[in-house]
Amino acid sequence: MATDGTAGQVPTVMHVRCPDRLPEQQYRQVLEQLADLSPVVQALPPTAALVELKGALRYHGTDSRRLGEVLRVRTLSRLGVDVRVGIGSSIAVAATASAQVPRPGGVLAINPDQAADWLAGLPVDALHGIGPRQAEVLVDYGIHSVGLLAAVPPATIQRLLGGRARGIDPRPVVPRALPAAATVRHAFPRHTLDGASARAALLELVVRLGQQLRRRDQAARAITLTLTFAGNGSWTKTRRLPEPSAHDDDLRLLAYQLMDAAGLQRGRLTGLTLKGEDLIGADQVAQQISLDDARESRLVAEAAIDRVRDKFGPQIIGPAAVFRRAS
């Protein structure tokens, strides 16, 4: 859409999206290609990354868009991987831009002085950081474009969305390798074919994972379920959450979907592993806009249960299915 402008008007944040379900080894190779362009690379597993280009522009003596094109040529020719590259003056603009690049790949650079007008014409759910639930509520209020969202009073935007409706996102790109995951495991004392027992064990893992994430003030963008079977066979699948979360309800829903996708049938289970992936700080999770009173009540109860567990121990309270399995 845009080429780089004059000094002071150069977009320097690059957001890179790899193909969905890219194997981890190839993802790491893409990160290595990014590191050849700039020393400031932030991995966003499982398939994205951020790059700060300020120093790279001076070093390579070229402009931001050209660096994006160089990256795409390198990943295609060396790895056989096409990427979608968005470039802007902030993380929010760059990430929104990369999502607008048609598959399989391309480069979209947005000048700082064009960002507001460009964002204004996008549907509200195209803005990076707006989750499906938030977008649905905003549309219900007649706010169906980013331009309309930007017209909402600044104090309201700050309270609901952190000011990003105008592409304002002051966070820096922080060099970071693949972040640590949060992992919980369960080993069955004997091989089990009982689907109810397996689901109860999975629920216990969900509760433990949620506790671990909340205690660490983190949230997961994705979860991975690994099933191990008699004879050392295994099955692993990862799915992303609609929005980053550390709440039991959200983790449980996705974990059960993963378990259903496994189609256990006659598989003799020996163990389960549940892993929270692509972790972010809890303070980075957008404030949820919810009209679901039942969900809000569950979240209040969850916080109260966490306080009880902190005081009396993790086994003092939990889902009935977990306690029935243990008895």
Side-chain angles (χ1 to χ4, degrees), residues 10-59:
V10 179
T12 62
V13 178
M14 176 188 289
H15 187 276
V16 180
R17 296 178 189 267
C18 301
D20 295 339
R21 303 183 195 85
L22 186 71
E24 183 175 316
Q25 182 58 36
Q26 282 189 290
Y27 174 60
R28 290 182 182 274
Q29 291 173 338
V30 172
L31 294 179
E32 291 171 1
Q33 297 301 314
L34 295 176
D36 286 343
L37 290 182
S38 169
V40 187
V41 177
Q42 180 177 344
L44 301 173
T47 58
L50 285 165
V51 187
E52 176 54 67
L53 298 176
K54 287 180 182 176
L57 295 177
R58 293 190 294 270
Y59 179 82

mmCIF file of all heavy atoms in Angstrom, residues 10-59:
data_model
loop_
_atom_site.group_PDB
_atom_site.id
_atom_site.type_symbol
_atom_site.label_atom_id
_atom_site.label_comp_id
_atom_site.label_asym_id
_atom_site.label_seq_id
_atom_site.Cartn_x
_atom_site.Cartn_y
_atom_site.Cartn_z
ATOM 1 N N VAL A 10 9.133 6.882 8.868
ATOM 2 C CA VAL A 10 9.495 5.561 8.379
ATOM 3 C C VAL A 10 8.942 4.489 9.320
ATOM 4 O O VAL A 10 9.254 4.510 10.514
ATOM 5 C CB VAL A 10 11.034 5.412 8.273
ATOM 6 C CG1 VAL A 10 11.397 4.014 7.791
ATOM 7 C CG2 VAL A 10 11.593 6.468 7.327
ATOM 8 N N PRO A 11 8.138 3.558 8.825
ATOM 9 C CA PRO A 11 7.650 2.476 9.683
ATOM 10 C C PRO A 11 8.793 1.506 9.987
ATOM 11 O O PRO A 11 9.520 1.094 9.085
ATOM 12 C CB PRO A 11 6.560 1.806 8.837
ATOM 13 C CG PRO A 11 6.952 2.093 7.415
ATOM 14 C CD PRO A 11 7.640 3.426 7.429
ATOM 15 N N THR A 12 8.947 1.147 11.244
ATOM 16 C CA THR A 12 10.107 0.336 11.624
ATOM 17 C C THR A 12 9.755 -0.941 12.378
ATOM 18 O O THR A 12 10.652 -1.636 12.846
ATOM 19 C CB THR A 12 11.078 1.167 12.497
ATOM 20 O OG1 THR A 12 10.403 1.562 13.693
ATOM 21 C CG2 THR A 12 11.590 2.389 11.757
ATOM 22 N N VAL A 13 8.466 -1.263 12.518
ATOM 23 C CA VAL A 13 8.070 -2.510 13.173
ATOM 24 C C VAL A 13 7.550 -3.463 12.112
ATOM 25 O O VAL A 13 6.648 -3.128 11.342
ATOM 26 C CB VAL A 13 6.996 -2.271 14.245
ATOM 27 C CG1 VAL A 13 6.581 -3.603 14.876
ATOM 28 C CG2 VAL A 13 7.506 -1.324 15.317
ATOM 29 N N MET A 14 8.122 -4.658 12.063
ATOM 30 C CA MET A 14 7.712 -5.683 11.100
ATOM 31 C C MET A 14 7.030 -6.831 11.840
ATOM 32 O O MET A 14 7.540 -7.317 12.841
ATOM 33 C CB MET A 14 8.942 -6.214 10.343
ATOM 34 C CG MET A 14 8.635 -7.363 9.383
ATOM 35 S SD MET A 14 10.155 -8.107 8.673
ATOM 36 C CE MET A 14 10.686 -6.787 7.584
ATOM 37 N N HIS A 15 5.865 -7.220 11.341
ATOM 38 C CA HIS A 15 5.159 -8.384 11.880
ATOM 39 C C HIS A 15 5.089 -9.433 10.790
ATOM 40 O O HIS A 15 4.641 -9.160 9.681
ATOM 41 C CB HIS A 15 3.747 -8.002 12.336
ATOM 42 C CG HIS A 15 3.025 -9.105 13.059
ATOM 43 N ND1 HIS A 15 2.329 -10.098 12.400
ATOM 44 C CD2 HIS A 15 2.905 -9.386 14.382
ATOM 45 C CE1 HIS A 15 1.799 -10.932 13.279
ATOM 46 N NE2 HIS A 15 2.128 -10.529 14.486
ATOM 47 N N VAL A 16 5.544 -10.639 11.105
ATOM 48 C CA VAL A 16 5.656 -11.712 10.118
ATOM 49 C C VAL A 16 4.735 -12.857 10.507
ATOM 50 O O VAL A 16 4.767 -13.329 11.647
ATOM 51 C CB VAL A 16 7.111 -12.219 10.023
ATOM 52 C CG1 VAL A 16 7.225 -13.340 8.993
ATOM 53 C CG2 VAL A 16 8.056 -11.068 9.682
ATOM 54 N N ARG A 17 3.918 -13.305 9.557
ATOM 55 C CA ARG A 17 3.031 -14.455 9.761
ATOM 56 C C ARG A 17 3.472 -15.588 8.832
ATOM 57 O O ARG A 17 3.499 -15.418 7.609
ATOM 58 C CB ARG A 17 1.571 -14.096 9.464
ATOM 59 C CG ARG A 17 0.968 -13.058 10.394
ATOM 60 C CD ARG A 17 -0.466 -12.730 9.992
ATOM 61 N NE ARG A 17 -0.970 -11.604 10.743
ATOM 62 C CZ ARG A 17 -1.661 -11.697 11.876
ATOM 63 N NH1 ARG A 17 -1.943 -12.895 12.365
ATOM 64 N NH2 ARG A 17 -2.079 -10.612 12.507
ATOM 65 N N CYS A 18 3.784 -16.726 9.419
ATOM 66 C CA CYS A 18 4.108 -17.923 8.650
ATOM 67 C C CYS A 18 2.827 -18.697 8.357
ATOM 68 O O CYS A 18 1.781 -18.433 8.949
ATOM 69 C CB CYS A 18 5.080 -18.806 9.431
ATOM 70 S SG CYS A 18 6.649 -18.000 9.847
ATOM 71 N N PRO A 19 2.883 -19.695 7.474
ATOM 72 C CA PRO A 19 1.692 -20.512 7.223
ATOM 73 C C PRO A 19 1.221 -21.211 8.486
ATOM 74 O O PRO A 19 2.026 -21.547 9.366
ATOM 75 C CB PRO A 19 2.188 -21.535 6.184
ATOM 76 C CG PRO A 19 3.357 -20.875 5.521
ATOM 77 C CD PRO A 19 4.010 -20.053 6.584
ATOM 78 N N ASP A 20 -0.073 -21.445 8.578
ATOM 79 C CA ASP A 20 -0.627 -22.181 9.708
ATOM 80 C C ASP A 20 -0.037 -23.587 9.748
ATOM 81 O O ASP A 20 0.282 -24.176 8.714
ATOM 82 C CB ASP A 20 -2.149 -22.282 9.592
ATOM 83 C CG ASP A 20 -2.828 -20.916 9.678
ATOM 84 O OD1 ASP A 20 -2.195 -19.983 10.217
ATOM 85 O OD2 ASP A 20 -3.970 -20.793 9.197
ATOM 86 N N ARG A 21 0.103 -24.113 10.959
ATOM 87 C CA ARG A 21 0.598 -25.478 11.195
ATOM 88 C C ARG A 21 2.014 -25.675 10.669
ATOM 89 O O ARG A 21 2.409 -26.793 10.301
ATOM 90 C CB ARG A 21 -0.329 -26.528 10.587
ATOM 91 C CG ARG A 21 -1.771 -26.439 11.091
ATOM 92 C CD ARG A 21 -2.625 -27.544 10.505
ATOM 93 N NE ARG A 21 -4.047 -27.283 10.692
ATOM 94 C CZ ARG A 21 -4.771 -26.548 9.882
ATOM 95 N NH1 ARG A 21 -4.214 -26.004 8.827
ATOM 96 N NH2 ARG A 21 -6.046 -26.341 10.119
ATOM 97 N N LEU A 22 2.788 -24.614 10.580
ATOM 98 C CA LEU A 22 4.189 -24.755 10.169
ATOM 99 C C LEU A 22 4.937 -25.574 11.214
ATOM 100 O O LEU A 22 4.852 -25.290 12.408
ATOM 101 C CB LEU A 22 4.830 -23.372 10.036
ATOM 102 C CG LEU A 22 6.256 -23.348 9.479
ATOM 103 C CD1 LEU A 22 6.234 -23.694 7.985
ATOM 104 C CD2 LEU A 22 6.884 -21.974 9.693
ATOM 105 N N PRO A 23 5.681 -26.616 10.808
ATOM 106 C CA PRO A 23 6.443 -27.393 11.789
ATOM 107 C C PRO A 23 7.400 -26.508 12.582
ATOM 108 O O PRO A 23 7.949 -25.529 12.048
ATOM 109 C CB PRO A 23 7.206 -28.398 10.924
ATOM 110 C CG PRO A 23 6.385 -28.534 9.677
ATOM 111 C CD PRO A 23 5.799 -27.165 9.451
ATOM 112 N N GLU A 24 7.609 -26.852 13.846
ATOM 113 C CA GLU A 24 8.425 -26.012 14.711
ATOM 114 C C GLU A 24 9.833 -25.819 14.163
ATOM 115 O O GLU A 24 10.407 -24.724 14.271
ATOM 116 C CB GLU A 24 8.492 -26.614 16.112
ATOM 117 C CG GLU A 24 9.276 -25.746 17.093
ATOM 118 C CD GLU A 24 9.250 -26.285 18.514
ATOM 119 O OE1 GLU A 24 8.166 -26.694 18.964
ATOM 120 O OE2 GLU A 24 10.315 -26.303 19.154
ATOM 121 N N GLN A 25 10.405 -26.864 13.556
ATOM 122 C CA GLN A 25 11.761 -26.740 13.031
ATOM 123 C C GLN A 25 11.830 -25.681 11.935
ATOM 124 O O GLN A 25 12.759 -24.865 11.890
ATOM 125 C CB GLN A 25 12.242 -28.094 12.489
ATOM 126 C CG GLN A 25 13.665 -28.080 11.950
ATOM 127 C CD GLN A 25 14.686 -27.635 12.979
ATOM 128 O OE1 GLN A 25 14.556 -27.948 14.167
ATOM 129 N NE2 GLN A 25 15.685 -26.873 12.551
ATOM 130 N N GLN A 26 10.831 -25.667 11.039
ATOM 131 C CA GLN A 26 10.812 -24.646 9.991
ATOM 132 C C GLN A 26 10.556 -23.265 10.578
ATOM 133 O O GLN A 26 11.115 -22.264 10.095
ATOM 134 C CB GLN A 26 9.752 -24.985 8.947
ATOM 135 C CG GLN A 26 10.178 -26.060 7.967
ATOM 136 C CD GLN A 26 9.195 -26.192 6.832
ATOM 137 O OE1 GLN A 26 8.068 -26.652 7.017
ATOM 138 N NE2 GLN A 26 9.597 -25.789 5.639
ATOM 139 N N TYR A 27 9.730 -23.196 11.608
ATOM 140 C CA TYR A 27 9.487 -21.915 12.269
ATOM 141 C C TYR A 27 10.788 -21.361 12.839
ATOM 142 O O TYR A 27 11.095 -20.171 12.687
ATOM 143 C CB TYR A 27 8.443 -22.087 13.367
ATOM 144 C CG TYR A 27 8.213 -20.865 14.223
ATOM 145 C CD1 TYR A 27 7.781 -19.662 13.663
ATOM 146 C CD2 TYR A 27 8.424 -20.907 15.601
ATOM 147 C CE1 TYR A 27 7.575 -18.540 14.446
ATOM 148 C CE2 TYR A 27 8.217 -19.795 16.391
ATOM 149 C CZ TYR A 27 7.786 -18.614 15.808
ATOM 150 O OH TYR A 27 7.588 -17.506 16.596
ATOM 151 N N ARG A 28 11.577 -22.219 13.455
ATOM 152 C CA ARG A 28 12.865 -21.771 13.996
ATOM 153 C C ARG A 28 13.791 -21.298 12.867
ATOM 154 O O ARG A 28 14.557 -20.346 13.041
ATOM 155 C CB ARG A 28 13.519 -22.902 14.791
ATOM 156 C CG ARG A 28 12.805 -23.218 16.112
ATOM 157 C CD ARG A 28 13.518 -24.319 16.877
ATOM 158 N NE ARG A 28 12.824 -24.642 18.106
ATOM 159 C CZ ARG A 28 12.991 -24.009 19.253
ATOM 160 N NH1 ARG A 28 13.837 -22.992 19.315
ATOM 161 N NH2 ARG A 28 12.322 -24.374 20.327
ATOM 162 N N GLN A 29 13.710 -21.949 11.722
ATOM 163 C CA GLN A 29 14.535 -21.527 10.588
ATOM 164 C C GLN A 29 14.107 -20.153 10.074
ATOM 165 O O GLN A 29 14.946 -19.343 9.656
ATOM 166 C CB GLN A 29 14.452 -22.576 9.481
ATOM 167 C CG GLN A 29 15.134 -23.887 9.839
ATOM 168 C CD GLN A 29 14.893 -24.976 8.801
ATOM 169 O OE1 GLN A 29 13.921 -24.931 8.031
ATOM 170 N NE2 GLN A 29 15.772 -25.964 8.764
ATOM 171 N N VAL A 30 12.788 -19.881 10.093
ATOM 172 C CA VAL A 30 12.313 -18.542 9.718
ATOM 173 C C VAL A 30 12.869 -17.497 10.698
ATOM 174 O O VAL A 30 13.311 -16.414 10.297
ATOM 175 C CB VAL A 30 10.779 -18.495 9.676
ATOM 176 C CG1 VAL A 30 10.295 -17.054 9.485
ATOM 177 C CG2 VAL A 30 10.249 -19.369 8.547
ATOM 178 N N LEU A 31 12.858 -17.826 11.997
ATOM 179 C CA LEU A 31 13.408 -16.906 12.986
ATOM 180 C C LEU A 31 14.884 -16.623 12.714
ATOM 181 O O LEU A 31 15.363 -15.488 12.908
ATOM 182 C CB LEU A 31 13.243 -17.479 14.401
ATOM 183 C CG LEU A 31 11.812 -17.623 14.920
ATOM 184 C CD1 LEU A 31 11.823 -18.230 16.314
ATOM 185 C CD2 LEU A 31 11.071 -16.296 14.920
ATOM 186 N N GLU A 32 15.608 -17.621 12.255
ATOM 187 C CA GLU A 32 17.020 -17.416 11.927
ATOM 188 C C GLU A 32 17.170 -16.450 10.752
ATOM 189 O O GLU A 32 18.089 -15.621 10.728
ATOM 190 C CB GLU A 32 17.672 -18.756 11.596
ATOM 191 C CG GLU A 32 17.811 -19.679 12.811
ATOM 192 C CD GLU A 32 18.271 -21.083 12.426
ATOM 193 O OE1 GLU A 32 18.503 -21.312 11.208
ATOM 194 O OE2 GLU A 32 18.398 -21.930 13.328
ATOM 195 N N GLN A 33 16.257 -16.542 9.775
ATOM 196 C CA GLN A 33 16.288 -15.596 8.656
ATOM 197 C C GLN A 33 15.998 -14.176 9.140
ATOM 198 O O GLN A 33 16.604 -13.209 8.656
ATOM 199 C CB GLN A 33 15.269 -16.015 7.586
ATOM 200 C CG GLN A 33 15.534 -17.359 6.945
ATOM 201 C CD GLN A 33 16.881 -17.431 6.262
ATOM 202 O OE1 GLN A 33 17.270 -16.514 5.522
ATOM 203 N NE2 GLN A 33 17.612 -18.512 6.499
ATOM 204 N N LEU A 34 15.079 -14.042 10.084
ATOM 205 C CA LEU A 34 14.787 -12.725 10.654
ATOM 206 C C LEU A 34 16.003 -12.169 11.378
ATOM 207 O O LEU A 34 16.302 -10.970 11.296
ATOM 208 C CB LEU A 34 13.595 -12.815 11.608
ATOM 209 C CG LEU A 34 12.247 -13.176 10.996
ATOM 210 C CD1 LEU A 34 11.196 -13.330 12.091
ATOM 211 C CD2 LEU A 34 11.805 -12.132 9.998
ATOM 212 N N ALA A 35 16.696 -13.028 12.112
ATOM 213 C CA ALA A 35 17.874 -12.585 12.861
ATOM 214 C C ALA A 35 18.986 -12.109 11.931
ATOM 215 O O ALA A 35 19.833 -11.309 12.337
ATOM 216 C CB ALA A 35 18.377 -13.717 13.751
ATOM 217 N N ASP A 36 18.991 -12.589 10.693
ATOM 218 C CA ASP A 36 19.972 -12.101 9.714
ATOM 219 C C ASP A 36 19.658 -10.677 9.274
ATOM 220 O O ASP A 36 20.546 -9.956 8.798
ATOM 221 C CB ASP A 36 19.994 -13.008 8.481
ATOM 222 C CG ASP A 36 20.687 -14.342 8.758
ATOM 223 O OD1 ASP A 36 21.422 -14.421 9.771
ATOM 224 O OD2 ASP A 36 20.487 -15.282 7.971
ATOM 225 N N LEU A 37 18.388 -10.268 9.410
ATOM 226 C CA LEU A 37 18.000 -8.909 9.027
ATOM 227 C C LEU A 37 18.180 -7.926 10.169
ATOM 228 O O LEU A 37 18.572 -6.772 9.964
ATOM 229 C CB LEU A 37 16.536 -8.881 8.581
ATOM 230 C CG LEU A 37 16.158 -9.541 7.258
ATOM 231 C CD1 LEU A 37 14.673 -9.345 6.989
ATOM 232 C CD2 LEU A 37 16.985 -8.985 6.118
ATOM 233 N N SER A 38 17.854 -8.357 11.403
ATOM 234 C CA SER A 38 17.874 -7.462 12.562
ATOM 235 C C SER A 38 18.215 -8.254 13.814
ATOM 236 O O SER A 38 17.774 -9.400 13.953
ATOM 237 C CB SER A 38 16.509 -6.789 12.727
ATOM 238 O OG SER A 38 16.420 -6.105 13.975
ATOM 239 N N PRO A 39 18.963 -7.657 14.745
ATOM 240 C CA PRO A 39 19.254 -8.354 15.999
ATOM 241 C C PRO A 39 18.080 -8.352 16.971
ATOM 242 O O PRO A 39 18.121 -9.049 17.987
ATOM 243 C CB PRO A 39 20.436 -7.564 16.571
ATOM 244 C CG PRO A 39 20.241 -6.183 16.037
ATOM 245 C CD PRO A 39 19.663 -6.357 14.659
ATOM 246 N N VAL A 40 17.041 -7.572 16.682
ATOM 247 C CA VAL A 40 15.911 -7.453 17.604
ATOM 248 C C VAL A 40 14.718 -8.210 17.028
ATOM 249 O O VAL A 40 13.936 -7.680 16.234
ATOM 250 C CB VAL A 40 15.546 -5.977 17.870
ATOM 251 C CG1 VAL A 40 14.471 -5.884 18.959
ATOM 252 C CG2 VAL A 40 16.765 -5.178 18.271
ATOM 253 N N VAL A 41 14.596 -9.475 17.425
ATOM 254 C CA VAL A 41 13.537 -10.361 16.943
ATOM 255 C C VAL A 41 12.798 -10.923 18.145
ATOM 256 O O VAL A 41 13.411 -11.420 19.086
ATOM 257 C CB VAL A 41 14.108 -11.516 16.098
ATOM 258 C CG1 VAL A 41 12.990 -12.465 15.670
ATOM 259 C CG2 VAL A 41 14.850 -10.971 14.884
ATOM 260 N N GLN A 42 11.488 -10.840 18.117
ATOM 261 C CA GLN A 42 10.647 -11.385 19.186
ATOM 262 C C GLN A 42 9.789 -12.500 18.614
ATOM 263 O O GLN A 42 8.923 -12.270 17.771
ATOM 264 C CB GLN A 42 9.765 -10.289 19.792
ATOM 265 C CG GLN A 42 8.859 -10.771 20.921
ATOM 266 C CD GLN A 42 8.063 -9.643 21.544
ATOM 267 O OE1 GLN A 42 8.383 -8.477 21.361
ATOM 268 N NE2 GLN A 42 7.025 -9.987 22.277
ATOM 269 N N ALA A 43 10.035 -13.727 19.043
ATOM 270 C CA ALA A 43 9.243 -14.861 18.582
ATOM 271 C C ALA A 43 7.838 -14.796 19.160
ATOM 272 O O ALA A 43 7.652 -14.476 20.337
ATOM 273 C CB ALA A 43 9.915 -16.168 18.988
ATOM 274 N N LEU A 44 6.855 -15.101 18.331
ATOM 275 C CA LEU A 44 5.449 -15.170 18.750
ATOM 276 C C LEU A 44 4.909 -16.525 18.300
ATOM 277 O O LEU A 44 4.178 -16.619 17.317
ATOM 278 C CB LEU A 44 4.638 -14.028 18.126
ATOM 279 C CG LEU A 44 5.086 -12.600 18.429
ATOM 280 C CD1 LEU A 44 4.277 -11.610 17.604
ATOM 281 C CD2 LEU A 44 4.937 -12.294 19.912
ATOM 282 N N PRO A 45 5.297 -17.608 18.970
ATOM 283 C CA PRO A 45 4.910 -18.952 18.542
ATOM 284 C C PRO A 45 3.388 -19.112 18.514
ATOM 285 O O PRO A 45 2.687 -18.402 19.221
ATOM 286 C CB PRO A 45 5.524 -19.854 19.621
ATOM 287 C CG PRO A 45 6.536 -19.009 20.301
ATOM 288 C CD PRO A 45 6.038 -17.615 20.226
ATOM 289 N N PRO A 46 2.858 -20.002 17.687
ATOM 290 C CA PRO A 46 3.653 -20.981 16.944
ATOM 291 C C PRO A 46 4.069 -20.557 15.549
ATOM 292 O O PRO A 46 4.898 -21.218 14.934
ATOM 293 C CB PRO A 46 2.691 -22.169 16.849
ATOM 294 C CG PRO A 46 1.331 -21.536 16.807
ATOM 295 C CD PRO A 46 1.422 -20.327 17.691
ATOM 296 N N THR A 47 3.557 -19.426 15.012
ATOM 297 C CA THR A 47 3.852 -19.134 13.600
ATOM 298 C C THR A 47 4.065 -17.657 13.288
ATOM 299 O O THR A 47 3.961 -17.267 12.122
ATOM 300 C CB THR A 47 2.701 -19.653 12.703
ATOM 301 O OG1 THR A 47 1.466 -19.054 13.102
ATOM 302 C CG2 THR A 47 2.582 -21.167 12.776
ATOM 303 N N ALA A 48 4.361 -16.814 14.271
ATOM 304 C CA ALA A 48 4.520 -15.389 13.986
ATOM 305 C C ALA A 48 5.754 -14.838 14.692
ATOM 306 O O ALA A 48 6.359 -15.497 15.541
ATOM 307 C CB ALA A 48 3.271 -14.610 14.406
ATOM 308 N N ALA A 49 6.124 -13.610 14.339
ATOM 309 C CA ALA A 49 7.279 -12.972 14.962
ATOM 310 C C ALA A 49 7.222 -11.469 14.726
ATOM 311 O O ALA A 49 6.572 -10.994 13.781
ATOM 312 C CB ALA A 49 8.590 -13.532 14.408
ATOM 313 N N LEU A 50 7.901 -10.732 15.591
ATOM 314 C CA LEU A 50 8.064 -9.288 15.453
ATOM 315 C C LEU A 50 9.538 -8.961 15.251
ATOM 316 O O LEU A 50 10.412 -9.624 15.812
ATOM 317 C CB LEU A 50 7.557 -8.564 16.706
ATOM 318 C CG LEU A 50 6.050 -8.463 16.899
ATOM 319 C CD1 LEU A 50 5.732 -8.057 18.331
ATOM 320 C CD2 LEU A 50 5.441 -7.452 15.920
ATOM 321 N N VAL A 51 9.787 -7.903 14.475
ATOM 322 C CA VAL A 51 11.161 -7.469 14.224
ATOM 323 C C VAL A 51 11.213 -5.953 14.342
ATOM 324 O O VAL A 51 10.364 -5.251 13.774
ATOM 325 C CB VAL A 51 11.641 -7.890 12.817
ATOM 326 C CG1 VAL A 51 13.116 -7.570 12.648
ATOM 327 C CG2 VAL A 51 11.381 -9.365 12.567
ATOM 328 N N GLU A 52 12.193 -5.441 15.079
ATOM 329 C CA GLU A 52 12.448 -4.002 15.131
ATOM 330 C C GLU A 52 13.489 -3.671 14.069
ATOM 331 O O GLU A 52 14.588 -4.245 14.066
ATOM 332 C CB GLU A 52 12.948 -3.599 16.520
ATOM 333 C CG GLU A 52 13.344 -2.137 16.644
ATOM 334 C CD GLU A 52 12.249 -1.193 16.207
ATOM 335 O OE1 GLU A 52 11.214 -1.130 16.888
ATOM 336 O OE2 GLU A 52 12.439 -0.525 15.155
ATOM 337 N N LEU A 53 13.169 -2.732 13.159
ATOM 338 C CA LEU A 53 14.004 -2.481 11.988
ATOM 339 C C LEU A 53 14.869 -1.221 12.074
ATOM 340 O O LEU A 53 15.610 -0.937 11.130
ATOM 341 C CB LEU A 53 13.111 -2.365 10.738
ATOM 342 C CG LEU A 53 12.296 -3.604 10.360
ATOM 343 C CD1 LEU A 53 11.402 -3.278 9.168
ATOM 344 C CD2 LEU A 53 13.199 -4.776 10.039
ATOM 345 N N LYS A 54 14.779 -0.470 13.167
ATOM 346 C CA LYS A 54 15.493 0.818 13.207
ATOM 347 C C LYS A 54 16.965 0.661 12.861
ATOM 348 O O LYS A 54 17.497 1.317 11.966
ATOM 349 C CB LYS A 54 15.329 1.452 14.584
ATOM 350 C CG LYS A 54 13.946 2.024 14.842
ATOM 351 C CD LYS A 54 13.855 2.628 16.232
ATOM 352 C CE LYS A 54 12.451 3.160 16.490
ATOM 353 N NZ LYS A 54 12.307 3.679 17.881
ATOM 354 N N GLY A 55 17.663 -0.190 13.609
ATOM 355 C CA GLY A 55 19.079 -0.385 13.338
ATOM 356 C C GLY A 55 19.316 -1.073 12.011
ATOM 357 O O GLY A 55 20.307 -0.784 11.317
ATOM 358 N N ALA A 56 18.412 -1.971 11.612
ATOM 359 C CA ALA A 56 18.580 -2.718 10.370
ATOM 360 C C ALA A 56 18.524 -1.796 9.151
ATOM 361 O O ALA A 56 19.232 -2.019 8.166
ATOM 362 C CB ALA A 56 17.512 -3.802 10.268
ATOM 363 N N LEU A 57 17.692 -0.761 9.197
ATOM 364 C CA LEU A 57 17.584 0.159 8.066
ATOM 365 C C LEU A 57 18.914 0.857 7.818
ATOM 366 O O LEU A 57 19.350 1.000 6.668
ATOM 367 C CB LEU A 57 16.490 1.193 8.319
ATOM 368 C CG LEU A 57 15.052 0.656 8.406
ATOM 369 C CD1 LEU A 57 14.086 1.783 8.743
ATOM 370 C CD2 LEU A 57 14.652 -0.020 7.101
ATOM 371 N N ARG A 58 19.556 1.291 8.889
ATOM 372 C CA ARG A 58 20.864 1.943 8.739
ATOM 373 C C ARG A 58 21.915 0.946 8.268
ATOM 374 O O ARG A 58 22.737 1.251 7.409
ATOM 375 C CB ARG A 58 21.287 2.581 10.071
ATOM 376 C CG ARG A 58 20.415 3.762 10.488
ATOM 377 C CD ARG A 58 21.018 4.506 11.673
ATOM 378 N NE ARG A 58 21.033 3.662 12.876
ATOM 379 C CZ ARG A 58 20.046 3.610 13.755
ATOM 380 N NH1 ARG A 58 18.956 4.343 13.565
ATOM 381 N NH2 ARG A 58 20.129 2.835 14.821
ATOM 382 N N TYR A 59 21.871 -0.258 8.821
ATOM 383 C CA TYR A 59 22.895 -1.256 8.496
ATOM 384 C C TYR A 59 22.795 -1.705 7.035
ATOM 385 O O TYR A 59 23.806 -1.803 6.330
ATOM 386 C CB TYR A 59 22.747 -2.463 9.422
ATOM 387 C CG TYR A 59 23.743 -3.567 9.162
ATOM 388 C CD1 TYR A 59 25.031 -3.499 9.696
ATOM 389 C CD2 TYR A 59 23.399 -4.670 8.380
ATOM 390 C CE1 TYR A 59 25.955 -4.504 9.446
ATOM 391 C CE2 TYR A 59 24.311 -5.685 8.137
ATOM 392 C CZ TYR A 59 25.584 -5.587 8.674
ATOM 393 O OH TYR A 59 26.506 -6.584 8.429
#
